[in-house]
Structures are given as C-alpha cells and as structure tokens.
Amino acid sequence: MSVLQRVSTARPRRRLLPAILAIGLGAAAVTVGWVVLYRVVPPPGTPLMLIRAVEGAGIEKDWVGLESLSGTLPRAVIASEDSLFCSHAGFDWESLRQAWQGNMAGRSLRGGSTITMQTAKNAYLWQDRRYLRKGLEAWFTLWIELVWPKARIMEVYLNIIEWGDGIYGAEAAARAYFNKPASGLTRREAALMAAVLPNPLRWSPAKPTRYIAGRANVIQQRMAIVERDGLAACVD
C-alpha cells in the first residue's frame, strides 16, 4: 500500500472516532438521566413486563410507597436475597467471587446479585446471562447507588419485580396470593413471598411446596438476625 493510500484510509478513521465517542457519551448521558428520573418517578413498566405481555401474559401491578408496605417484607427480602444490602455500595464482591469460581468449576450457574443489581436488571434491562447485559447491569447498579438512597432502591425493587405470571410488585402479589394489601402481610407470608423470588413462575407463596416451606422457615430465622443486628436499618 502506498503512502497516499494509507493517508486516505486513515482520514475516515479519524473522522469516525469523534462520532463514536459522541454516540457513546450521548448513550451514557441518557442512561444516567434515566436513573435520575426513576429517583423520583415510579417506573411505568419494565422490559420484562413488555416481553411477558408480548408472550400473552397480563400485567397486574399497583405501585405503593415503602411506607405503605409491611415492614416485614423488606426484612424478608434482605434476609433472603442480600443481607449486606444496607452496607454495600451495590456489589457484594465476596458473593460475586464465589459465584464466579463456582461457574468456572462447572457447577450450576449462580449470579451473586445484590438487590441493587436485581433492581437495575428489572428496571432497565432484559433477562439473560450474556456479558453485555451483565456489563450494562453493573453500569446501572453503579449509578443507582450513587443517585438513589437505599430506601428508594428497596421501594422500586419491591414494586417492579415479578411475583407470578403477570403479577408484578408486592401489592399485586399480596392481593393475588393472600387477598390482602402488602401492608397487612404477616412474617410468615412475607417469608413465603421472599422464598419464591428465585423462580416466581414455578412456585407460589399461597401453595408452598415442601422446599418453599422449608426455605421460608430459614428466611424467618434470618429475619430475626436481620432485626437483631440492624441489617435493615436503611429501610426502616
């Protein structure tokens, strides 16, 4: 290739770089603005809700503020999903390390996700395990922790997560499974609701299998530790 040809080839590349940089900065600004918006505005829907609706499921949801939820439910999900929720900055590095080692060893896939990471995934992203989605999840998690207080993270989480076929959020789930508002959940009912979160399409809080009943027992025991050690102080 001649010098003239190399120069002519390099020029379009130099022009392309600023355009790529501008697109990247613009996309970053949009995502940060999206996080700021949800700091004060309830998410009107989620990608998962849209996907499920396309597949034929309904959408049953009813937003309620954290102060209107039974205090037992945040403690139950902290005990079940993320005991360090109030103290970490979005990532539980030890759990992530253990999950990575387990996955590399060929054991069943584990996520090591915190409540903040699950909130990021459910509020903004789609469901899969590819590295692109995981990277975007980490990006949103970082900004959620920077912009939202812990109480807001818990509030959004409990209002958007899937709790059954077409059932989203604690209020809709409490009414569907126990015929009562989320503010009236007992400790046992809250533990049962937390117990099914790993697979809410398979399990029902109202009709617990032996495994779910046992898991709820463990969650109730952990709830006592959460309360004793103040592990839910950020949402009380």
Side-chain angles (χ1 to χ4, degrees), residues 9-24:
T9 302
R11 284 176 179 171
R13 290 175 181 172
R14 287 199 296 269
R15 295 193 196 101
L16 188 60
L17 184 60
I20 293 174
L21 182 60
I23 292 171

Side-chain angles (χ1 to χ4, degrees), residues 24-211:
L25 290 173
V30 168
T31 58
V32 173
W34 202 359
V35 172
V36 172
L37 178 65
Y38 281 3
R39 167 66 177 82
V40 294
V41 176
T46 68
L48 180 61
M49 293 179 193
L50 178 60
I51 291 168
R52 296 282 194 248
V54 170
E55 293 173 346
I59 299 178
E60 184 178 347
K61 64 184 181 72
D62 189 6
W63 180 278
V64 292
L66 189 62
E67 70 282 355
S68 298
L69 293 168
S70 169
T72 59
L73 189 56
R75 297 187 190 103
V77 298
I78 286 174
S80 174
E81 302 284 296
D82 185 3
S83 62
L84 299 178
F85 172 69
C86 287
S87 60
H88 64 58
F91 305 94
D92 182 348
W93 296 109
E94 178 59 22
S95 293
L96 288 170
R97 182 186 66 81
Q98 293 176 2
W100 175 262
Q101 290 178 340
N103 294 341
M104 290 299 98
R107 294 191 290 270
S108 59
L109 288 175
R110 298 176 55 216
S113 292
T114 63
I115 286 174
T116 311
M117 293 169 72
Q118 293 179 49
T119 302
K121 176 182 69 177
N122 281 278
Y124 300 107
L125 302 169
W126 62 98
Q127 307 280 326
D128 71 37
R129 293 180 178 272
R130 294 173 186 168
Y131 288 114
L132 172 61
R133 207 273 294 156
K134 286 290 186 181
L136 290 171
E137 180 183 298
W139 170 260
F140 277 107
T141 296
L142 173 66
W143 282 101
I144 286 172
E145 283 282 346
L146 286 172
V147 174
W148 301 2
K150 289 287 188 176
R152 178 60 174 179
I153 297 172
M154 180 62 72
E155 183 177 62
V156 173
Y157 175 73
L158 291 177
N159 273 284
I160 66 172
I161 53 174
E162 185 178 41
W163 244 306
D165 188 17
I167 301 172
Y168 302 92
E171 184 71 9
R175 293 189 181 279
Y177 295 122
F178 300 114
N179 197 31
K180 62 172 64 175
S183 60
L185 291 171
T186 65
R187 292 176 69 85
R188 181 62 178 175
E189 290 164 345
L192 286 167
M193 286 183 59
V196 304
L197 283 176
N199 196 336
L201 298 182
R202 177 181 178 186
W203 297 315
S204 166
K207 298 178 180 178
T209 63
R210 181 178 298 180
Y211 168 74

